[in-house]
Structures are given as C-alpha cells and as structure tokens.
Amino acid sequence: MQNAVLIAENLYWLGGSDRKLSFFEGLYPVPRGISYNAYLLMDEKTVLFDTVDSAVGDAFLNNLEAALGGRSLDYLIVQHMEPDHSATFLRTVEKYPDVTVIVNKKSAQMLAQYYGFCGERIRTVAENEELCTGKHTLKFLFAPMVHWPEVMFTYDGISGTLFSADAFGTFGALEGSLFSEDYPFEQAYLPEARRYYTNIVGKYGVQVQAALKKTEGLSIERICPLHGPVLRKDAAKMVEKYRLWSGYQPEEKGAAVFYASIYGHTQSAAELLASALAQKGISVCVYDVSVTDCSELLAQAFRVSHLAFASVTYNGGLFPKMETLINDLKAHGLRGRTYALIENGSWAPAAGKIMAETLSTMKEFTQVGETATLLSAGKQEQEQAILALAEAIANDIKK
Ligand code: FEO
C-alpha cells in the first residue's frame, strides 16, 4: 500500500505519522502523535528532500517507490541529520544506489558519524549554491541551529516552495489533510506549533532570526516542513509567529499564573491572583506545575508578557516541579518578561528568594510588586498582599 500525495505540480509528500510514540525526543509528550515528512520533486531529475524516522520507514519507502513510478532517484538532499529524518537514509541509498547525496560539510561529517556513509556519492554544497534539476533550480540556505548546526533550507523559486527542515513544523500526527488550513488554526494547529517551536528551537532565537532574514524577499507559496502539515494560506501567519517567538516577544499582553501547591493553600493564593486579574480585564491563564507538562508551561511563558509564580517551599528549597520550570525557562533563554512572586512556607519560607535568584539573572526580566508570603495558609493580610500584587501586574500590563 502506498500513500504518496501530490501537493503541488510535480511535488509529492512522502512520509507518515507515528501515533504510538509517547515522548518525542524521549522528553516531550505527543498525545496526538507526530508526523515525519519527506518530499519528492519530479523534475528532469528526481529529487528527494530528506528521509524519515524508522517508525514510518516502510511507509515512506513504499511511497517513494510509487511516486517515482519506475524512475530512478537522482538526488537526495539531506537538510537535517537528526535521526527522526535520517534514520531511513541507509535503506534509501541502498535501494537507489545511483543517487547523489546533496549535503553541506557539517551533514557530510554527521553522515559518517551516524551511518559510516562517505565517498563519491556525496556532493557537498555551499551556502547559496544552486542545483538545477531541469525546470527547477534549488537554492540552499543554511540555517544552523534550527535546530542542529548542519540544518539547511532549500528554496525552489519556480514553484515558490521553501523546504524548511524542522522550522515551521508542529507536534501532532496528520489527520488526513496535508495542509494547515484544513486544521483549526487557533485551537489545534497553533498551540502545538508553539509548543514545538519553544521547546525544540526556543533557545536559538538569534539563529532563527538569521534564518528568517535569509528568507525575506523570497516569494513563498508554500512551506514544506519535516513535521506537520504544509503551510500555504497560513505561511505568512507562521512566519510572523516565528518572528515574535525568535525575538522572545510575547504574542499577548496578559498573564500566566504557575503554581506549585501541596495541600491547596498556595493554589488558593494563585487562584485569587488570577481571579483579581481577570476582574481587572486582564487575560490570564492558570497552571498547576505538578499537573501540566513543562513543555506546555514553557510555551505559555513564551506566549504572554507577565508571569506569576506561586510556590511552596520544599526541603528548604523550591518545590521540584517549580524548580524544573524556572530552570527550563532560563535554559531556553526566555527574556523580556515581567514576573511576580508568591511564596509559602510553614516555618522557613524560602521559595520567593530562590525563584528570584534565578529569574533576576534572566535577560530583561523585571519583578513587579512585592513578593507575597503565606505562612501555611493565607489570612486576610495575605489576601490584601495578593490583591495588591494583582493591581501592580494589571497596571503594568495596561501602561
Ligand atoms: Fe525533527 Fe531536529 O528533528
């Protein structure tokens, strides 16, 4: 059985979805699975863009054979060496022994490291080098650290197609359609695209901006990423999101409240803060860090301008899940956020100080309001402190 799909003139999608995978990269939950895409351009020469993860290797090879329709494979362009796109490389070059493998220097090195593949079948290309395949001319744009050092995009000016490697991809298996406009953008596509971006390449904002700059001025009809649907009508919208995310600019002036609570008292404080903010007309969302996966918390922290952290003190330190979140924000280089703190401790509250120690070292992070301290359970005095904190956050958002 084959399922190669024609997505534009002479351009096929080949690939498949894995709905059994629990954690992408062993780290990120993918409750809706993930897709691995490869593409085949049928010009005077036949050109394959990447291979796929071993989970969908058989389906991919069947699709490739069907789409080729008896023709040989002339070129395999390796845009990204991470094994979710290269695990089927050896099977592909063994099946098509005359194929020329197009790589940059870094990919060539990784092909040798991963698969022991080297030799005359490799052709190394330089930045901005072009490959004429007949009617089409493909231009290679290097995009280092989006999300590995060897990554390159390929631009086909004839069809206006940007083959973007990991960039503009998303978590989630394909639900039949190969085009993002067939998915509810705000409800389904965007949240998972944001979680994918922020966690996978969120740290490399500078490098993403450099890659975006190389695509400025290109006429783009469609973006073909290695994960998730092809972007056509949504392409400009996603480029704009990437511009924001890579610049660490919030999408929305609003607040996210993250709390760590064991017996509910810190949660009550967080809920009071969120309720007071909402009553002041502030867009706010609330997350229990023990329940929501850190990858989603990170995505939300990228999305909004103001972050409130409410945490119990634990073993004289910070509650582990809150510690993980704050360290993850720092590790991903998030910057330019305003934060507020609530701490709790029954005999030696220290959470506020510990959170501030890390947050204050983050670029352009500014605390708003006074840290509110609960001693076991909130009383009227703490309610007033939290309402004052809500006032300070709301005023800062509205200014
Ligand atoms: Fe989808 Fe960086 O691999």
Side-chain angles (χ1 to χ4, degrees):
M1 192 172 289
Q2 64 87 15
N3 183 26
V5 181
L6 191 66
I7 58 170
E9 192 179 356
N10 299 326
L11 181 62
Y12 288 88
W13 169 89
L14 320 167
S17 288
D18 184 354
R19 293 182 173 80
K20 287 192 172 129
L21 187 70
S22 298
F23 295 96
F24 182 68
E25 294 187 356
L27 194 55
Y28 308 111
V30 281
R32 290 176 46 233
I34 191 154
S35 77
Y36 305 101
N37 305 328
Y39 302 91
L40 179 70
L41 177 65
M42 296 288 281
D43 200 2
E44 288 168 25
K45 298 287 186 183
T46 58
V47 187
L48 174 63
F49 297 85
D50 296 295
T51 68
V52 294
D53 189 85
S54 53
V56 297
D58 290 346
F60 158 75
L61 288 168
N62 286 341
N63 292 345
L64 176 58
E65 185 175 332
L68 282 168
R71 290 181 63 185
S72 61
L73 181 61
D74 297 309
Y75 295 117
L76 165 51
I77 298 175
V78 178
Q79 301 184 110
H80 186 15
M81 273 300 301
E82 194 164 11
D84 56 330
H85 309 293
S86 70
T88 318
F89 172 84
L90 275 185
R91 290 179 69 188
T92 305
V93 295
E94 280 166 14
K95 186 168 179 178
Y96 299 97
D98 296 326
V99 69
T100 298
V101 178
I102 306 288
V103 291
N104 58 32
K105 269 188 190 166
K106 288 191 173 114
S107 305
Q109 187 182 336
M110 288 189 187
L111 272 180
Q113 289 173 195
Y114 269 107
Y115 306 114
F117 187 86
C118 47
E120 291 176 354
R121 292 166 71 188
I122 290 181
R123 176 170 156 193
T124 306
V125 293
E127 170 95 72
N128 291 321
E129 192 170 327
E130 293 184 337
L131 174 72
C132 180
T133 61
K135 291 181 182 144
H136 296 258
T137 299
L138 306 174
K139 185 171 185 174
F140 303 107
L141 308 170
F142 290 7
M145 300 318 296
V146 189
H147 106 268
W148 276 18
E150 85 296 355
V151 168
M152 63 183 188
F153 298 169
T154 308
Y155 177 64
D156 172 10
I158 295 295
S159 65
T161 304
L162 179 68
F163 298 92
S164 62
D166 269 346
F168 307 109
T170 183
F171 293 133
L174 293 166
E175 309 284 352
S177 174
L178 288 167
F179 302 106
S180 69
E181 65 261 28
D182 295 331
Y183 295 77
F185 188 82
E186 296 289 340
Q187 297 79 17
Y189 179 83
L190 182 58
E192 284 297 81
R194 181 189 297 112
R195 190 167 69 90
Y196 172 87
Y197 172 87
T198 53
N199 286 276
I200 304 293
V201 281
K203 177 179 177 177
Y204 305 110
V206 171
Q207 292 87 343
V208 172
Q209 294 213 320
L212 288 178
K213 201 161 180 53
K214 293 178 186 179
T215 66
E216 280 174 8
L218 298 181
S219 171
I220 295 175
E221 293 281 318
R222 67 189 65 77
I223 297 176
C224 294
L226 294 179
H227 299 286
V230 171
L231 296 141
R232 299 188 299 192
K233 290 179 183 165
D234 295 323
K237 219 167 2 180
M238 279 310 293
V239 169
E240 174 58 17
K241 289 292 181 190
Y242 266 57
R243 194 187 64 73
L244 284 178
W245 295 334
S246 60
Y248 303 96
Q249 296 175 50
E251 295 169 68
E252 184 182 359
K253 280 198 123 187
V257 178
F258 305 107
Y259 72 82
S261 185
I262 301 173
Y263 297 109
H265 303 103
T266 311
Q267 176 183 359
S268 295
E271 304 279 13
L272 176 62
L273 178 70
S275 174
L277 285 168
Q279 289 175 57
K280 292 174 186 301
I282 302 300
S283 168
V284 59
C285 51
V286 183
Y287 294 94
D288 183 332
V289 301
S290 296
V291 174
T292 304
D293 188 77
C294 197
S295 63
E296 177 59 23
L297 305 176
L298 180 83
Q300 291 302 321
F302 268 70
R303 188 179 68 78
V304 299
S305 58
H306 286 63
L307 313 175
F309 302 93
S311 183
V312 290
T313 303
Y314 197 79
N315 285 335
L318 194 54
F319 188 77
K321 294 273 191 174
M322 183 61 83
E323 188 172 39
T324 297
L325 168 61
I326 289 179
N327 286 341
D328 211 35
L329 299 182
K330 185 173 170 108
H332 282 80
L334 184 63
R335 65 175 195 242
R337 295 296 185 273
T338 303
Y339 65 94
L341 298 175
I342 299 172
E343 65 174 352
N344 196 353
S346 291
W347 60 92
K353 180 170 171 282
I354 296 167
M355 289 190 284
E357 276 171 3
T358 301
L359 293 167
S360 63
T361 64
M362 292 168 64
K363 205 169 176 185
E364 297 154 19
F365 261 60
T366 314
Q367 186 170 2
V368 62
E370 298 290 322
T371 300
T373 300
L374 278 70
L375 296 171
S376 303
K379 307 290 188 306
Q380 196 176 14
E381 187 185 325
Q382 282 81 40
E383 285 177 16
Q384 292 309 314
I386 288 163
L387 293 176
L389 200 50
E391 181 80 19
I393 295 169
N395 288 342
D396 198 70
I397 287 175
K398 289 175 180 173
K399 78 181 180 194

